[in-house]
Amino acid sequence: MALKRKNGRKLDELRPMSAEVGIIPNADGSAMFVFGKTVAIAAVYGPRMLHPQHMQNPETGILRVNYDLLSFSVEDRKKPGPSRRSQEISKVTELALLPAVDINEFKNTVIDVQIYILQANAGTRTAGINAASMALANAGIPMKSLITSVAVGKLDKELVLDVDDEEEHFEEGEGSTDFPIAKIYGTDEYSLMQMDGKLPPEMIPKALDMADEAFEKIYEVQKNALKSYVSGEDVK
Amino acid sequence: MSSMRTSNITKDTLRKMFLEGKRFDGRGMFDLKNFEVEYDVSYKAEGSARVRMGKTDVVVGVKMQLEEPYPDSPNKGNLMVSGDLLPLASPRFESGPPRFNAIELPRLIDRMIRESGMIDLSKLCIREGELVWTVMIDIYPINDDGALIDAASIGAVAALHNTVIPGIKEDRADYVNRTKDKLPLSDETIPITFTFYKLGSSLVLSPTREEEEACDAKITWGISKWNGKHMLNSCQKGEEIPFKKEEIIKIVETLPKLYDDTLKKLKKFLK
């Protein structure tokens, strides 16, 4: 028997998405990405000279990612400043973005990507990656393609897409599983993969297929936001 | 010399050898290093284990203390995993604030244990909302010769199986008059992590330090059994190079048998 999602979504239905580019005038590139009630904003600064100098790499540019939750984005106020969780997400986000950007020519420089969550309702790292990907493109950083990201979930025995906060606390049967994935769009390269929960190994191929279908939809949202930013600029 | 990174020559040699399915130590590509488990690293700990996996050597200790529960789980004990990559264990580990690898290791073990449900934390509640046991697992490598996470996962599971709950005196842990009680652990669910590495198009398990440093990507899976079925409990992809779909599927397909074989060896050591 198929599982009914409390929020009324179909198993493979994403939350409503929206995206906007160029939201932070000071940044070289910026974007917002929304999955339902989860809102992520990202800014890109650079390439710029990396200080302290001893951290510079004469062979390539460096990508440096910082992800964090704003203190009021969650129910129990988050103490400002990096936590182990945010440090881990910053690093895996950096690794998710890095294979898509071509920064070898920007020697000795750094490209800083700052991601903040205004409102957290599950899927913050995936929304953050989608926003950062657009912000990098907006900053004119040479890229192979956009990076698209979504979490496949599992509620009891059923795979679902893009779980929200309430679903993340689902405890019946096999409980709730979270399987965030990122892919360089249009390639066969999965650059982020994390998971916690209970997922039978034989369900992995189907979970990846579900993510692939979601990436098509996410890419459309990203592309349209970038396009409307560019055409908006033409009008000015 | 020991602090030099793997040279390009070694990397090239390994790349060629891996393509032929060969390794310096003669193992197959998906052969785990041999391991053994010892106990009683410290009699002051509630439980402890030392795992030697090839030349990688890790100690894991469990301490327990009475604390307030977390607000979102008032009737459950707390679990905390931490550790440090001691400069004692490798020329590559440095003192100072923890680098990413030092943050990642305990978090991966935490997720493997927590998500597998191997500990019944609800049985570690003394008074709901007031007093519960906190189980603290600490992981320290003594010598890192690669595949540290996988050795640590075995060490953590062994140390938990070896743990004896302290007594309670005036709402505090009594470490002198211990109970004879073990932790409420599942007989069936015994999680283990397996970390696969990639060099070029070759996949390899349980690398030595030299192999590990030559590789460009890694992915760690935590797996256990639950209600008679294999269950993946945790996953994390690391390093800069992505994985292809067929590579992920190939890795995942090898996991159930790899887990069964490794569990059989591990069970010989579990008390």
Side-chain angles (χ1 to χ4, degrees):
Chain A
M1 196 188 74
L3 172 119
K4 277 239 159 49
R5 298 176 79 169
K6 270 196 185 166
N7 45 41
R9 279 191 278 151
K10 285 183 276 181
L11 299 180
D12 62 349
E13 188 177 341
L14 294 159
R15 286 175 282 182
M17 291 180 278
S18 62
E20 198 180 334
V21 170
I23 56 163
I24 301 169
N26 272 346
D28 295 306
S30 60
M32 175 183 74
F33 190 91
V34 177
F35 269 138
K37 289 181 184 154
T38 292
V39 183
I41 54 172
V44 170
Y45 288 89
R48 57 184 177 183
M49 287 310 284
L50 175 58
H51 296 288
Q53 223 170 4
H54 70 85
M55 284 175 68
Q56 293 179 1
N57 187 339
E59 287 173 17
T60 176
I62 289 172
L63 188 70
R64 190 163 58 181
V65 175
N66 178 51
Y67 155 101
D68 213 342
L69 299 160
L70 293 188
S71 49
F72 51 76
S73 66
V74 281
E75 249 152 57
D76 295 320
R77 179 176 181 268
K78 192 230 165 225
K79 214 174 92 203
S83 61
R84 282 175 175 251
R85 174 184 177 274
S86 70
Q87 283 176 277
E88 182 185 275
I89 295 179
S90 297
K91 186 68 186 182
V92 296
T93 299
E94 189 177 295
L95 296 174
L97 301 173
L98 190 62
V101 295
D102 184 7
I103 53 176
N104 286 339
E105 292 311 310
F106 302 126
K107 300 178 198 312
N108 292 321
T109 71
V110 63
I111 295 165
D112 278 305
V113 181
Q114 295 286 341
I115 304 169
Y116 284 93
I117 306 302
L118 301 183
Q119 195 172 280
N121 187 277
T124 63
R125 79 195 65 189
T126 54
I129 289 170
N130 291 332
S133 163
M134 293 188 292
L136 283 164
N138 179 223
I141 307 294
M143 294 168 82
K144 254 198 227 176
S145 179
L146 288 172
I147 304 100
T148 48
S149 183
V150 76
V152 178
K154 182 169 144 286
L155 304 175
D156 189 15
K157 291 182 168 56
E158 210 66 73
L159 288 173
V160 297
L161 267 181
D162 189 26
V163 292
D164 60 27
D165 203 20
E166 195 185 345
E167 289 178 325
E168 228 172 35
H169 293 96
F170 181 92
E171 280 182 350
E172 291 158 47
E174 293 177 8
S176 175
T177 296
D178 186 31
F179 186 24
I181 305 169
K183 190 179 186 183
I184 317 298
Y185 182 79
T187 71
D188 183 23
E189 298 183 354
Y190 295 83
S191 58
L192 172 112
M193 208 171 274
Q194 292 184 294
M195 199 254 296
D196 13 59
K198 291 187 172 67
L199 190 58
E202 62 276 11
M203 283 180 120
I204 292 283
K206 182 164 181 228
L208 293 176
D209 289 346
M210 271 175 91
D212 282 348
E213 279 170 36
F215 293 147
E216 298 295 331
K217 294 174 186 147
I218 294 163
Y219 180 75
E220 280 303 307
V221 173
Q222 290 174 311
K223 191 181 71 182
N224 289 337
L226 282 160
K227 268 192 180 165
S228 69
Y229 176 77
V230 173
S231 58
E233 255 187 352
D234 288 344
V235 177
K236 270 177 218 164
Chain B
M1 283 299 278
S2 62
S3 66
M4 280 178 66
R5 292 193 58 87
T6 310
S7 71
N8 288 335
I9 298 176
T10 312
K11 194 166 171 158
D12 281 344
T13 310
L14 281 171
R15 190 180 283 123
K16 281 180 204 140
M17 286 176 64
F18 282 177
L19 282 174
E20 296 165 17
K22 288 183 189 158
R23 300 173 79 168
F24 284 149
D25 57 12
R27 282 184 292 144
M29 299 302 278
F30 288 175
D31 288 352
L32 206 64
K33 285 184 259 190
N34 274 328
F35 66 90
E36 48 189 63
V37 183
E38 266 175 37
Y39 290 98
D40 303 328
V41 179
S42 164
Y43 79 94
K44 296 276 187 181
E46 278 66 82
S48 60
R50 180 170 189 162
V51 174
R52 289 190 180 83
M53 189 179 237
K55 285 184 196 150
T56 291
D57 186 351
V58 190
V59 294
V60 181
V62 177
K63 289 293 296 172
M64 291 176 70
Q65 63 192 37
L66 287 165
E67 286 179 354
E68 267 185 40
Y70 295 125
D72 60 350
S73 54
N75 56 354
K76 284 183 179 168
N78 304 323
L79 172 69
M80 232 178 75
V81 184
S82 54
D84 201 1
L85 301 182
L86 306 176
L88 160 104
S90 168
R92 292 156 190 87
F93 298 161
E94 289 173 25
S95 316
R99 306 271 176 102
F100 176 67
N101 287 342
I103 295 172
E104 187 185 43
L105 170 75
R107 284 184 64 85
L108 290 180
I109 303 299
D110 181 307
R111 272 149 52 193
M112 169 196 86
I113 293 172
R114 194 182 298 276
E115 301 297 332
S116 72
M118 73 174 288
I119 312 177
D120 186 351
L121 292 171
S122 64
K123 294 204 174 118
L124 294 175
C125 176
I126 309 296
R127 286 199 306 277
E128 182 167 340
E130 288 178 30
L131 200 67
V132 299
W133 284 113
T134 295
V135 179
M136 286 167 293
I137 304 173
D138 280 292
I139 301 164
Y140 300 103
I142 300 294
N143 190 64
D144 176 20
D145 189 47
L148 188 58
I149 294 166
D150 298 352
S153 81
I154 289 174
V157 166
L160 287 170
H161 276 263
N162 175 244
T163 296
V164 176
I165 301 175
I168 301 177
K169 198 173 163 188
E170 289 161 8
D171 281 356
R172 295 181 60 130
D174 182 349
Y175 299 111
V176 180
N177 303 301
R178 291 179 202 235
T179 66
K180 290 198 165 63
D181 301 332
K182 299 280 208 144
L183 282 175
L185 300 181
S186 159
D187 288 331
E188 183 193 22
T189 305
I190 303 176
I192 307 175
T193 69
F194 295 97
T195 307
F196 290 79
Y197 290 75
K198 181 164 105 156
L199 174 60
S201 60
S202 304
L203 298 171
V204 61
L205 176 72
S206 200
T208 61
R209 188 78 228 169
E210 199 170 31
E211 292 173 330
E212 189 172 305
E213 285 189 351
C215 288
D216 306 315
K218 67 169 181 178
I219 189 162
T220 300
W221 295 93
I223 176 170
S224 65
K225 269 194 134 173
W226 193 75
N227 287 349
K229 282 196 295 188
H230 288 104
M231 284 286 182
L232 302 170
N233 299 121
S234 58
C235 163
Q236 178 123 311
K237 184 213 154 281
E239 304 304 333
E240 295 181 6
I241 302 294
F243 279 89
K244 295 185 196 313
K245 190 187 265 184
E246 75 180 60
E247 292 168 340
I248 296 159
I249 292 173
K250 184 176 170 193
I251 289 170
V252 169
E253 279 173 350
T254 66
L255 282 170
K257 181 169 186 307
L258 189 58
Y259 172 77
D260 290 344
D261 293 348
T262 311
L263 182 66
K264 209 181 279 174
K265 282 181 207 159
L266 174 57
K267 273 192 168 165
K268 284 186 210 149
F269 294 107
L270 291 184
K271 324 192 187 179

